[in-house]
Amino acid sequence: MSLKNDTQNYSQTFSREHLNYLKDIKRQKILILSSRIILLVAFFLIWEVAAKFKWIDPFITSQPSRMWDTFLSLHQNGSLYKHIGITISETIIGFVSGTLLGSLMAILLWWSDFLSKVLDPYLVVLNSLPKVALGPIIIVFFGAGYSAIITMALLVSLFTTIIGVFSGLRQVDKEKITLLKTFGANKKQILTKVVIPASFPTIMNALRINVGLSWVGVIMGEFLVSKAGLGYLIVYGSQVFQLDTVMTSVIILAIAAALMYIGVSYLEKMVLEKRI
Amino acid sequence: MTTPIVKINNLSKIFHSPKEETLAVKDFSLEVRAGEFVVLVGPSGCGKSTILSALAGLIKPSAGEIIYNPNKAIKKKPSIGYMLQQDHLFQWRTILQNAILGLEIQNKNTKENILKTRKLLEVYGLGDFINHYPNQLSGGMRQRAALIRTLAVDPEILLLDEPFSALDYQTRLAVADDIGSIIKNEKRTAVMVTHDISEAISMADRVVVLSKRPGMVKKIHEIKLSCSKQTPIIRREAPEFREYFNEIWKELDVHVS
């Protein structure tokens, strides 16, 4: 008997048609990438030009060159990194704690069928409740500081994590669990040997969604209470009508969020590949 | 060879759902002797798998009893190995890691036992694949790996629940031959469930024919085939094979309506 995938050492001589096919794929890729770049550059260029010729009012819309100046001055007085650092650390803490707590509670629900049935309607209600409505309560409970912001980030991602991970744990093939039972496995062994590893892809997927939700929670929290961070910069900038600060912060926020998303996606890919 | 290893007395099992209750098995009695290969055949839904589950202790009988080692003073439940329709090898484990799953669960994953499992894999042609992942193996090899995972915990009784039904016909013949020979070779007691009559006759020492639901014993055939080698494929060529087939076919009383 031979290996199923013995295509590893396929021949290196291709037909002309195949070479053309490969070339087409490459051309398509380059076209997509260059279009993306052009779109981005054009967007900022038109913005800049429109503001310069006063087609739009740069006092309200800001303009890329002014945003760059703002960026540089924030960079020079060092406050840029303080704000970015605070927001990112709040996000990471919110993300990690939301994921850990959510996964832990999902495992608890998996463990006790009774508990999961009892709590089901509450989870549904809490999940559909817009968490920003809890903002004022959180501020009263935790004070107007970091803990309130992190609590906000945690709450935003917690219930989706519980529901997502729990359904992942429950979708594990019943027969695989039967197999373990035939060996006399106890509940803890079923959980660690099959249920968690088998639902790993679902859990990683929940993680990826959580990154975005944590950002939402943190920025919402900063809008409400903070004295520092990118969300604070945005709110403060709009209050004193410095649209340059607002726009710059939004762009930095977009880049930071994208980087974190890419990081988690990369982590997901690595972990899943390792287990094939 | 004639000492009974397990005795089932008047086993009945009812399954419950909010709408109805279903009597799956009724008054089923059977004695399995040490070292023999018993095959249960019957129409689908006749409770064959239920009997295996009860033997494995996965479900509680509604009535009746299962006595292990009835002739011995200590009626301890023997260790049991169960093989399912799908191989259920775990994607995230290598073949060796899959094979020692049962040992891990029973906290018997000593160096010695792992080495023994490795030997089994080598003896049965999987030596080069112990560090491969299941999706790199063919269906037949995977089923063999699943059998070794079952054998690794050294079970006294093997329960096989339609272990080949997920395979295509050609592979199925080859794998049945393969697995049948391994079980004979390792001198295990086996109880298998199938709805394939030929497969049953080719592998069994005794074939138990079950009635439609609720499953009851209709007839028990001692299979005696005159052929040179007692492997499943060669046994299919024995002159008596057809007679057994026809008899069991009639007893199963299959109608398409």
Side-chain angles (χ1 to χ4, degrees):
Chain A
M1 287 191 207
S2 72
L3 268 176
K4 222 194 206 170
N5 52 348
D6 46 8
T7 44
Q8 282 125 343
N9 45 0
Y10 51 80
S11 118
Q12 281 296 327
T13 49
F14 295 131
S15 67
R16 178 174 291 269
E17 190 176 300
H18 189 73
L19 289 173
N20 282 335
Y21 163 77
L22 293 176
K23 218 191 253 167
D24 272 354
I25 290 180
K26 207 173 169 190
R27 195 182 296 144
Q28 185 80 7
K29 259 189 188 164
I30 292 170
L31 196 67
I32 289 170
L33 186 67
S34 48
S35 303
R36 282 175 182 167
I37 294 168
I38 289 167
L39 199 64
L40 188 71
V41 173
F43 177 73
F44 282 103
L45 208 67
I46 292 169
W47 188 355
E48 178 70 30
V49 171
K52 191 153 201 157
F53 291 105
K54 302 288 176 203
W55 300 339
I56 52 175
D57 183 359
F59 182 67
I60 294 172
T61 62
S62 183
Q63 101 188 64
S65 56
R66 289 166 63 160
M67 282 155 63
W68 180 246
D69 291 339
T70 311
F71 177 77
L72 285 182
S73 75
L74 281 171
H75 162 72
Q76 267 148 16
N77 68 25
S79 61
L80 176 66
Y81 303 103
K82 187 187 93 186
H83 292 301
I84 293 180
I86 284 172
T87 300
I88 288 187
S89 52
E90 284 165 350
T91 308
I92 290 176
I93 295 171
F95 168 66
V96 171
S97 53
T99 304
L100 285 183
L101 202 65
S103 304
L104 219 68
M105 288 175 82
I107 287 172
L108 206 69
L109 293 182
W110 176 85
W111 195 278
S112 165
D113 205 35
F114 180 73
L115 192 67
S116 75
K117 278 180 182 145
V118 171
L119 293 183
D120 181 61
Y122 298 104
L123 276 176
V124 172
V125 171
L126 286 172
N127 189 41
S128 38
L129 177 77
K131 258 58 81 182
V132 69
L134 299 174
I137 303 170
I138 294 170
I139 295 167
V140 171
F141 283 7
F142 293 92
Y146 297 124
S147 43
I149 297 170
I150 290 167
T151 308
M152 191 64 139
L154 178 93
L155 280 180
V156 167
S157 64
L158 183 65
F159 299 105
T160 22
T161 311
I162 296 175
I163 290 171
V165 173
F166 179 51
S167 79
L169 295 179
R170 273 213 309 199
Q171 272 162 22
V172 173
D173 192 347
K174 294 260 179 327
E175 290 256 292
K176 284 200 164 63
I177 294 172
T178 306
L179 171 77
L180 257 72
K181 281 186 184 159
T182 65
F183 287 125
N186 56 35
K187 199 147 191 174
K188 193 179 145 218
Q189 285 173 321
I190 290 172
L191 180 72
T192 54
K193 300 275 182 207
V194 63
V195 172
I196 288 179
S199 55
F200 223 82
T202 328
I203 295 173
M204 290 307 283
N205 208 14
L207 275 182
R208 208 149 36 94
I209 297 167
N210 272 359
V211 178
L213 290 177
S214 303
W215 281 106
V216 172
V218 164
I219 297 301
M220 247 159 42
E222 286 187 351
F223 279 4
L224 288 173
V225 298
S226 78
K227 294 161 195 73
L230 291 171
Y232 160 77
L233 273 186
I234 293 170
V235 167
Y236 171 77
S238 76
Q239 279 164 355
V240 297
F241 247 80
Q242 276 182 18
L243 267 295
D244 298 342
T245 312
V246 176
M247 293 295 186
T248 311
S249 309
V250 169
I251 302 268
I252 293 169
L253 187 61
I255 294 169
L259 285 179
M260 202 153 146
Y261 182 85
I262 291 168
V264 173
S265 300
Y266 182 72
L267 193 80
E268 177 181 4
K269 214 176 126 195
M270 272 210 337
V271 173
L272 291 184
E273 237 164 47
K274 219 178 126 199
R275 340 168 316 133
I276 302 196
Chain B
M1 285 291 274
T2 50
T3 40
I5 189 162
V6 59
K7 209 171 163 193
I8 307 170
N9 285 333
N10 303 316
L11 175 81
S12 294
K13 176 70 192 172
I14 303 170
F15 286 110
H16 303 274
S17 77
K19 273 194 188 142
E20 56 181 357
E21 58 174 340
T22 314
L23 182 59
V25 180
K26 193 182 166 193
D27 285 331
F28 179 87
S29 298
L30 181 72
E31 204 178 86
V32 180
R33 306 164 198 148
E36 79 168 334
F37 201 121
V38 177
V39 178
L40 311 180
V41 291
S44 32
C46 74
K48 296 170 295 208
S49 300
T50 309
I51 295 165
L52 280 199
S53 299
L55 269 176
L58 291 174
I59 55 169
K60 246 177 84 185
S62 303
E65 54 179 358
I66 297 171
I67 308 165
Y68 300 99
N69 291 315
N71 287 8
K72 283 188 191 162
I74 306 154
K75 295 179 177 31
K76 201 178 125 264
K77 186 183 164 193
S79 63
I80 278 165
Y82 203 109
M83 234 176 123
L84 303 151
Q85 287 185 21
Q86 248 88 40
D87 55 63
H88 290 300
L89 295 171
F90 294 168
Q91 297 289 317
W92 56 90
R93 283 171 171 252
T94 63
I95 294 303
L96 181 63
Q97 287 168 340
N98 264 297
I100 62 166
L101 179 71
L103 292 173
E104 268 179 38
I105 286 166
Q106 299 174 0
N107 284 320
K108 293 195 288 197
N109 51 341
T110 57
K111 250 191 185 144
E112 194 192 338
N113 281 335
I114 293 172
L115 202 73
K116 244 167 78 186
T117 311
R118 243 186 126 111
K119 280 257 167 60
L120 271 177
L121 287 165
E122 277 162 21
V123 168
Y124 296 114
L126 292 170
D128 293 336
F129 301 100
I130 55 170
N131 293 320
H132 282 63
Y133 285 90
N135 57 0
Q136 297 173 295
L137 267 63
S138 68
M141 290 168 95
R142 292 171 60 122
Q143 206 59 358
R144 212 191 287 177
L147 176 67
I148 291 167
R149 177 184 60 199
T150 314
L151 290 174
V153 294
D154 207 16
E156 286 166 71
I157 305 177
L158 276 170
L159 306 173
L160 306 118
D161 191 354
E162 304 198 27
F164 317 120
S165 57
L167 305 168
D168 63 78
Y169 186 68
Q170 278 90 332
T171 315
R172 183 176 180 152
L173 282 183
V175 174
D177 195 53
D178 197 36
I179 304 274
S181 305
I182 294 173
I183 291 171
K184 276 261 141 59
N185 217 359
E186 301 288 326
K187 298 187 176 59
R188 304 295 163 134
T189 311
V191 181
M192 185 172 94
V193 156
T194 182
H195 51 243
D196 183 329
I197 304 171
S198 310
E199 191 173 279
I201 303 166
S202 74
M203 297 182 81
D205 296 314
R206 280 194 299 159
V207 174
V208 179
V209 182
L210 287 149
S211 67
K212 275 184 218 134
R213 193 170 66 210
M216 289 185 282
V217 178
K218 210 164 187 184
K219 192 156 183 209
I220 297 178
H221 297 267
E222 294 267 351
I223 306 289
K224 290 224 159 45
L225 298 169
S226 47
C227 50
S228 53
K229 251 173 80 186
Q230 296 288 335
T231 71
I233 284 185
I234 294 173
R235 280 167 63 119
R236 282 171 188 260
E237 292 162 13
E240 302 90 343
F241 194 87
R242 275 235 75 77
E243 292 163 32
Y244 284 120
F245 186 97
N246 288 335
E247 222 173 300
I248 295 171
W249 167 252
K250 272 181 210 142
E251 285 157 14
L252 282 176
D253 196 24
V254 183
H255 294 289
V256 183
S257 53

